[in-house]
Amino acid sequence: MASPYLCPNCKTNRSRFNIIEQVAKSVKLNPQSGEVVEEFTSENLEPFHIPYKGPSQKVQCAACGLVEDEQLFIKRAEHQNG
């Protein structure tokens, strides 16, 4: 369900936003070179490799550039209207 946004930083933008899709890639790096040694799927993660649990998307205000979780923009709009 769509919800109105209001930028919590500039407090004026209600219509221009960038939706940023986040796709986590689990990798193991060589500590000396930084090169990727191995890539993991959710099925073959090593015991000490915690899977990504963050949001699948972020929102950027296209007026001031603030990047935050979508809920922050939604809550600001609800607070302003309430």
Side-chain angles (χ1 to χ4, degrees):
M1 186 169 136
S3 298
Y5 289 171
L6 175 59
C7 178
N9 186 52
C10 66
K11 299 174 183 74
T12 57
N13 181 25
R14 292 180 177 272
S15 61
R16 299 185 197 296
F17 300 95
N18 296 312
I19 307 296
I20 303 164
E21 299 292 331
Q22 299 194 126
V23 178
K25 181 175 165 181
S26 298
V27 298
K28 183 175 186 177
L29 301 180
N30 177 305
Q32 283 75 39
S33 68
E35 292 183 36
V36 174
V37 175
E38 190 174 356
E39 287 189 35
F40 302 104
T41 64
S42 58
E43 292 82 35
N44 76 343
L45 283 179
E46 293 182 337
F48 295 107
H49 197 116
I50 298 171
Y52 178 71
K53 294 181 179 160
S56 60
Q57 67 182 28
K58 293 265 195 174
V59 176
Q60 180 183 32
C61 174
C64 74
L66 177 74
V67 177
E68 285 292 344
D69 289 340
E70 180 183 39
Q71 284 301 313
L72 199 60
F73 288 86
I74 293 170
K75 291 293 182 192
R76 184 64 184 187
E78 289 172 354
H79 176 72
Q80 197 72 18
N81 291 335

